[in-house]
Amino acid sequence: MAPTVNDSINELLDVIRDGAKASSDRSIEVLNLFRRLTLDSILRCEVGLDHSSLRNPDDLFLKHCKGVIEDTTKMPWLYLLGFLFPTLHSVWITVYRSLHYIKFNPVYWLEDRMREVIVMRRENKETRRPDLVQQMLDARFQADSFKDIEEERVKSDSSRGNTLRSMTNEEIVSHALLFLLAGYETTSTTLTYIFHELSQNPHVQQTLRREIMSVLPRGYCEIAYDDLKKLTYLDYVIWEALRKYPLASSVTARQCVHACNIHGLHIPEGMLIHANLWDVQYDPRHWGDNPHEFDPLRFLPETRKTRHPAAWMPFGAGPRSCAGLRFALLQLKMVLAKVLRDFDFQPSKTLTVPLNLVEGATIMPADGLNVSALRRASAMSELGCLRRMSSVLSMSDIAGLNVGSRRASLAATESDIDNESNASGSEDMDMDANWKGYLARRRSSRKNSILDDEPTQESIHDIRRASITKGIEMLQVKSIHKGINMMRRASCGTVLEKSTGFAKRQPSSVVSPVLRQKEKDDSDAKEKLHASISSSQTEDTAATVSNYLRSKYGKRRASALPDLESVKEFAEFNPMQDLVMKSREQILASLPLKSSGDASKCPEMCARLYKRRASG
Ligand code: HEM
């Protein structure tokens, strides 16, 4: 499942990027986006439909799912009657169905599509795939265990006794529909609330991002399931959002089976009981004096231990609690981990707080949610990662380049450098084309099939190799400027300065004096390099470029964080930050260093400062 969800999230990243670019304050409406994401994931994981409502906002599945949820907000009287008079449920269902003759009911459209898929999957044995529908098709039960729902059928066929039976098509259709709607609406609304809280609480967003970056540093394309388990603060953020917004509280009703007394309150048999989750999850007895505050640290293990187990139950409780809990949590974690690596979220100018909520099947923001999505300089989408890999791996080839024979191209004028920036755009396009071509081929190969092949290691490997080859080609066949440009891009966490064309680091608050000196030396080297390129001193320039590139980028690994940031992010996230920084300062002070050049001679410092990987 994780690779399938990964695919959808990669598409989401592109849509966020494009959507934010198109708006003046980079704001995007995320509720609708997340609905499209969760719809795509659930359709892929549940019924094997290769679907992309993220790419196609007019998608019919999306339209009808939205229609179902909207109906639940427009006809609350019918749902209320259902709750008040549950024994008359067959009447309410008939009323609901009859309304179809007045107004088209989107549930029927979805039911028909599910039926088509299931009939087709049952008839065509070659369409097997590891999804939920397949499990239902394969399932076998004791006929007796279905007495309740199949009473008529089992009675009339009593001679069969304990024979096994499979699920009927109609049973599978109704389960599939339930999973589709439950999976589509709840997770997307939860994501919306989480992004709202993150944009309102920048310190939480920052801490969470640091944790994510420390476990999944730049260069990681796919997120492995095991890595997600290491993200504990991410868990706290999700749990706290589900505490503050128990959006599915309206579906936690139970019917009393035996009359009983609870704390003196008599509950007769057959009575419908509804847990008021909003009261429970804001109760100061469990959550302290300020339950309205968004504080993920409420879920620290020691605090959790002392709390009543039923004080938090956004997924319901007991044997009939949410059947999609694990899937929902997996998806929430993957989306947050990937999106926060690439974007910084802030409240949009048009946002009004508190959110205007509306009740339907779930409790959701009535007007969606607008947030501003700012792409981070270090954004590392799958494509970016491939680009960077190709840039970095090509370094082994640059050593072999005959720099001297490229004098002509090194004698570049200022306008050449500008052209080079444009050319780098075309390289980007080449790489984009590589990637898009690969996706298009994958899609067209599945065009007439409902089957979605999982991306194999091989296919990922192929596209990587293609990008690397492309990068090497650029360096060898074209000019060295393009090589330089690629090396520049290899240094992530930097901003490009158009005027000089060289990377300049963001100022860092936690940088030791020696590291500062190193930065200064770096920037001096860059200026010298640029000056020599501009003044066409070809012989010197060739040597300078070659030395500069080798010393600066030659040994960097694709998955490594830039040295300064690695140390900074690790240290800032670590609660031992002060101790770490102090001990490092002490080590630095005790070293006999005269210049930053000496630093590289000191193995201890190299080990501590320069070669540490964030994942180390
Ligand atoms: C953050 C996301 C989600 C929340 C907050 C949520 C919440 C709930 C709640 C409160 C219930 C009622 C439980 C009870 O009565 O005790 C429920 C039931 C259910 N949920 Fe979820 N859910 C989420 C995601 C999902 C997903 C992604 C799926 C499917 C893929 C799903 C499928 C179901 C199903 C099938 C039931 C009915 C279980 C039964 O009656 O036995 N849910 N959910």
Side-chain angles (χ1 to χ4, degrees), residues 1 38 42 46 132 175 178-191 238 242 245-254 277 313-329 331-332 362:
M1 263 181 202
T38 50
I42 191 82
E46 187 192 18
L132 186 70
H175 280 300
L178 170 62
F179 271 91
L180 171 67
L181 292 170
Y184 154 81
E185 173 56 20
T186 47
T187 316
S188 51
T189 310
T190 306
L191 276 170
I238 294 173
L242 284 163
Y245 305 95
L247 54 118
S249 53
S250 49
V251 292
T252 50
R254 295 287 187 278
L277 296 190
M313 44 178 182
F315 293 100
R320 295 300 297 271
S321 61
C322 177
L325 181 152
R326 281 173 196 282
F327 180 71
L329 290 178
Q331 205 175 2
L332 290 171
T362 64

Side-chain angles (χ1 to χ4, degrees), residues 30-70:
V30 285
L31 176 59
N32 191 28
L33 266 191
F34 292 144
R35 283 180 169 168
R36 286 152 66 189
L37 168 84
T38 50
L39 177 66
D40 290 355
S41 317
I42 191 82
L43 280 174
R44 286 174 185 178
C45 297
E46 187 192 18
V47 280
L49 278 177
D50 184 19
H51 199 77
S52 184
S53 62
L54 271 169
R55 295 266 161 227
N56 175 18
D58 302 323
D59 176 71
L60 285 178
F61 266 100
L62 182 69
K63 183 177 153 206
H64 290 95
C65 283
K66 265 189 193 165
V68 177
I69 302 301
E70 265 168 32

